[in-house]
Amino acid sequence: MNFFDRLADRIASVDSVVSVGLDPDPARIPDHLHDHDLPRWAFNRRIIDATHEHAAAFKPNAAFYEDPDGWTALRETVAYAHGKDVPVLLDAKRGDIGNTARKYAELLDDDGMGIDAITVNPYLGRDALEPFLSREDKGIIVLCRTSNPGGADLQGLELETGEPLYERVAALADLWNANDNIGLVVGATAPEELEEVREIVPDIPFLVPGVGAQGGDAEAAVEYGLADGVGLVNSSRGIIFAGEDQGEEFAQASGEAAKRLKKRLNQYR
């Protein structure tokens, strides 16, 4: 089974397309966890315990782990999520050439990090993504139309064909999808563009960010983000910091936030 087959099973088992972003900003981790050897891991474990029954996937962002203790915390996080039968998608936005790309892709290997999927940047072209795409059982989630306001600076540039660059990226991803392991990042903050990309690639699942703290369109995220019922709608800060002012009870609020988002999205499934 490839990643999206496994994801489909997970979605069915928990009746949810919620991706919980695990971005443990040390400045926002509750004070009582800072005495732990690995505060980020201590935080993530409690979030996973509180949210896993509502999570189709967990999505840690590599930026919050890129130091020695952080990588250790990430390894523990991945293993613990897998122990709960939840797949892990690393939001790393990798994209490089030659040996560098091959080393980055080792994060997908069991003796690397053992993650189930990873986000990649297509700016360097097909050869830069080959070391990732060749992992047939892993999910390779290609940046297409991101949710940040500045995403349009390049992604919205009009090509000679009249199409914006993000639409060309979607079409190329479809061509590169020989192993049926590609997904696309398409943000919920521009629902009309979500619809446009879905028309170009009817069968590719999307990872849709921007529904939580960024205020994206939840209905559009579900209507256009899922391909045959498979896809992910991510919320990070809106879930993991929902109980930021509740001290040792913070994780309970995160669980409730994940449950509410699951219910909200399921209205449109």
Side-chain angles (χ1 to χ4, degrees):
M1 296 176 70
N2 71 12
F3 169 71
F4 291 110
D5 291 332
R6 299 194 303 276
L7 180 61
D9 287 347
R10 177 65 189 176
I11 289 169
S13 69
V14 294
D15 190 28
S16 176
V17 293
V18 172
S19 164
V20 177
L22 297 176
D23 302 348
D25 184 344
R28 300 182 70 176
I29 289 176
D31 291 341
H32 70 280
L33 297 181
H34 284 283
D35 291 335
H36 290 252
D37 290 339
L38 296 170
R40 284 167 287 187
W41 156 231
F43 178 80
N44 284 351
R45 181 170 66 82
R46 288 158 177 78
I47 295 294
I48 291 171
D49 284 341
T51 64
H52 71 90
E53 64 185 296
H54 310 299
F58 287 113
K59 185 182 75 65
N61 191 304
F64 293 91
Y65 302 92
E66 291 187 329
D67 60 79
D69 283 351
W71 284 115
T72 302
L74 181 58
R75 287 180 185 277
E76 295 291 345
T77 296
V78 172
Y80 195 69
H82 284 164
K84 300 288 189 181
D85 295 322
V86 187
V88 178
L89 190 169
L90 182 63
D91 193 354
K93 300 179 177 70
R94 300 302 193 209
D96 215 316
I97 58 174
N99 288 334
T100 310
R102 286 190 285 275
K103 290 300 291 182
Y104 278 143
E106 289 178 2
L107 286 167
L108 294 160
D109 299 333
D110 289 338
D111 57 353
M113 191 68 70
I115 56 178
D116 304 285
I118 191 169
T119 59
V120 296
N121 189 332
Y123 193 78
L124 274 70
R126 173 69 172 76
D127 60 313
L129 301 188
E130 174 55 32
F132 301 94
L133 299 176
S134 63
R135 266 81 169 172
E136 297 182 16
D137 61 328
K138 303 294 185 177
I140 312 304
I141 317 300
V142 178
L143 298 178
C144 179
R145 181 63 178 97
T146 58
S147 58
N148 59 306
D153 291 350
L154 293 178
Q155 297 160 21
L157 290 177
E158 186 174 305
L159 305 180
E160 289 184 356
T161 58
E163 63 186 327
L165 180 58
Y166 70 85
E167 290 188 2
R168 176 66 63 87
V169 169
L172 286 171
D174 204 27
L175 291 175
W176 297 340
N177 198 21
N179 292 323
D180 292 324
N181 61 344
I182 284 182
L184 290 176
V185 175
V186 188
T189 50
E192 68 283 353
E193 294 171 358
L194 252 174
E195 182 178 8
E196 291 168 2
V197 177
R198 175 53 69 208
E199 290 176 357
I200 296 167
V201 286
D203 301 319
I204 290 182
F206 294 171
L207 166 65
V208 185
V211 167
Q214 296 179 64
D217 188 323
E219 182 175 2
V222 172
E223 182 175 358
Y224 304 118
L226 308 184
D228 196 22
V230 179
L232 293 169
V233 180
N234 185 75
S235 176
S236 300
R237 291 166 291 171
I239 291 176
I240 66 173
F241 297 126
E244 191 170 18
D245 60 348
Q246 298 183 26
E248 296 188 11
E249 304 301 319
F250 74 95
Q252 181 177 347
S254 296
E256 290 300 317
K259 183 178 180 179
R260 285 194 302 271
L261 181 58
K262 169 183 171 179
K263 183 177 181 180
R264 179 183 172 199
L265 297 176
N266 281 352
Q267 296 178 67
Y268 309 116
R269 288 176 61 205

